[in-house]
Amino acid sequence: MERLLDYVIIVAYLVGIAIFGVISGGKQKSVKDYFLGSDSVPWWAVCFSIVAAETSTLTFISIPGLAYLTNLNFLQVTLGYLIGRIVVAVFFLPSYFKGELNTAYAFLETRFGVKTRRFASIIFLFTRTAADGVRLFATAIPLKLLLNIDYSLAIFIIAIVALLYTMIGGVKGIIWVDVIQMFTYIAGAVIAGFIIIGLLPNGLDSLFSAAATDNKFSIINWGFDKGLSGFFAQPYTLLGGLLGGAFLSMASHGTDQLIVQRLLTTKSLVSAKKAIITSGVVVIFQFFIFLVVGVALYAYYGNLPVKSDEIFPKFIIEQLPVGLSGFIIAGLFAAALSTLAGSISSLASSTMLDLYKPMFGKNLQPEKELKLSRFMTLGWAVLLIFAAIFFMNSPSAVVELALSIASFTYGGLLGTFILGLINKKAKQEDALAGFTAGIFVMITVITLKLVAWTWFTLVGVITTVIIGSILASLNKENNN
């Protein structure tokens, strides 16, 4: 009973956020209302929603854990994230706002053909399910510790809450909930950080002393001290962080329906550009906060024989006073729900708009389209639950595992988009061949661990563009 107040706060938050999502979503009359919010969402709300969508429990748990084990080198990657978003704003978004594009992959149909759109959509469905299955499982870690329940039950509880407001409120409900979620989890992290510092013997002096002793505040890592092979084996070097972060962000924010769906809900191209670039600035500050919390945890605990993903939940459960720990855990669930709800909606929208409607639903009535879309939303929620259960026993660090899963295809997907933008002679067959080659090369690189994860997307992009361009050149020569 001592944690009754925590339970009340968490339950009240989960119920309240679900109700808010249903109400803010309004009533949808068509698939456009349901998946695109009738293009009426303000840019700043989309900005915060983007940040919340990419900030899953992985960030809330694993990034402090990463700083606890190492230092602040991850900030190099976040600078790359901003660079990548600027590229998306300048080169990708104008193409998305031409005509009536309703998914990220509709551009590929316009540029190459319907087969490329379907192939990209199917790849997205598989990788998003796997990656967000991992993220959903990560959320179960603190809930299991708090309630002493099975991981499976914890996963189910979180998924049902997200499904409720996603299925009823649509993407507009998701975006407005995300705004609340972002401020909730950031507040939770900041409060936790102040409490940790307050528990140290000499406050900030203890933090700086511990950090200085073990070089915890190191941001720049040139990475040239371990030779060429060692350089590419390190994930958090300056060049690897800037390039890797940029290309990963270009893929996730320029070609992934999870983010592009949000950008398409804005009123104009200018609004979408504001939303995506500003989100990059917010993310840098956000990651800095989470990393500093990790350094503070190191100053408090020293080296403990625990997994890095468990150190922050351990502090929340064991050290925070009742009531406050409930609020922090609610913040953690906020991070989880924002990503999960976005995933469910983006998976359903891609299934409906990229696959089902073009092939089978051209003459469907709006009411039936909307009903079918909601059924697809339910189906994807169930599949994500199964994916989370499947990944429960994964031995890898959770954050890097999720990023690696996405990177299996991110390189090929981004490479196909870039090929379409820079090579006007490339045709559908060239794009599909390059895309497939990029995926196979990535499977090889990741399986054999030839480079660190920050290089994955870049390798896939280079492969896809080169193969697609060579084939386009050969086709031109044959035609002559």
Side-chain angles (χ1 to χ4, degrees), residues 414-438:
L414 176 59
T416 304
F417 275 79
I418 291 176
L419 179 68
L421 290 172
I422 68 173
N423 193 328
K424 302 303 180 185
K425 297 172 184 175
K427 297 182 179 179
Q428 178 160 257
E429 293 74 17
D430 310 322
L432 288 172
F435 197 161
T436 305

Side-chain angles (χ1 to χ4, degrees), residues 9 47-48 51 71 144 173 195 202 274 310-311 315 320 427:
I9 290 172
C47 167
F48 293 147
V51 175
N71 47 41
K144 179 185 185 299
I195 290 174
N202 298 308
K274 286 181 184 177
E310 295 177 355
I311 192 68
F315 178 83
L320 290 182
K427 297 182 179 179

Side-chain angles (χ1 to χ4, degrees), residues 51 54-56 58-60 62-64 66-67 71-72 74-79 81 85 185-186 279-294 399 403 453:
V51 175
E54 63 185 305
T55 309
S56 66
L58 291 175
T59 310
F60 201 94
S62 294
I63 297 302
L66 184 64
N71 47 41
L72 305 187
F74 194 87
L75 280 176
Q76 298 168 120
V77 181
T78 68
L79 294 174
Y81 288 167
R85 288 167 214 244
Y185 69 69
I186 287 181
S279 75
V281 177
V282 174
V283 158
I284 292 174
F285 285 104
Q286 176 181 272
F287 271 95
F288 178 75
I289 291 170
F290 288 134
L291 289 166
V292 170
V293 167
V399 65
L403 291 172
W453 70 264

Side-chain angles (χ1 to χ4, degrees), residues 148-371:
N148 194 26
I149 59 177
D150 291 337
Y151 277 123
S152 300
L153 180 57
I155 289 166
F156 181 76
I157 291 171
I158 296 160
I160 289 300
V161 174
L163 173 63
L164 182 62
Y165 68 82
T166 303
M167 195 168 178
I168 300 175
V171 72
K172 188 185 290 187
I174 292 171
I175 289 173
W176 285 114
V177 166
D178 282 352
V179 175
I180 303 297
Q181 309 274 41
M182 192 196 80
F183 286 103
T184 301
Y185 69 69
I186 287 181
V190 170
I191 291 170
F194 277 114
I195 290 174
I196 298 168
I197 293 170
L199 291 173
L200 297 175
N202 298 308
L204 278 174
D205 288 340
S206 296
L207 173 63
F208 286 120
S209 176
T213 302
D214 294 293
N215 202 27
K216 287 289 179 179
F217 283 146
S218 170
I219 296 177
I220 303 298
N221 173 26
W222 298 102
F224 297 126
D225 55 333
K226 297 183 179 179
L228 188 60
S229 60
F231 176 78
F232 287 104
Q234 298 177 71
Y236 307 122
T237 61
L238 181 60
L239 186 61
L242 293 178
L243 284 177
F247 276 88
L248 182 60
S249 190
M250 287 165 63
S252 62
H253 290 63
T255 70
D256 193 319
Q257 177 66 359
L258 177 69
I259 302 298
V260 174
Q261 180 184 13
R262 285 165 166 76
L263 293 170
L264 292 175
T265 66
T266 58
K267 299 175 181 178
S268 65
L269 173 60
V270 173
S271 295
K273 287 182 175 182
K274 286 181 184 177
I276 194 168
I277 294 175
T278 307
S279 75
V281 177
V282 174
V283 158
I284 292 174
F285 285 104
Q286 176 181 272
F287 271 95
F288 178 75
I289 291 170
F290 288 134
L291 289 166
V292 170
V293 167
V295 175
L297 286 168
Y298 178 80
Y300 180 76
Y301 281 118
N303 288 309
L304 289 182
V306 297
K307 292 181 180 179
S308 61
D309 300 323
E310 295 177 355
I311 192 68
F312 193 23
K314 174 182 172 65
F315 178 83
I316 293 170
I317 300 298
E318 297 178 359
Q319 302 300 326
L320 290 182
V322 174
L324 191 54
S325 58
F327 176 77
I328 304 293
I329 293 170
L332 187 150
F333 290 146
L337 290 170
S338 58
T339 301
L340 182 60
S343 276
I344 295 171
S345 180
S346 61
L347 287 164
S349 66
S350 187
T351 304
M352 181 68 185
L353 300 175
D354 291 320
L355 300 175
Y356 183 86
K357 192 174 178 180
M359 290 190 286
F360 309 110
K362 293 181 180 179
N363 298 317
L364 277 179
Q365 294 298 314
E367 296 82 5
K368 184 137 185 210
E369 280 185 3
L370 184 57
K371 186 176 181 180

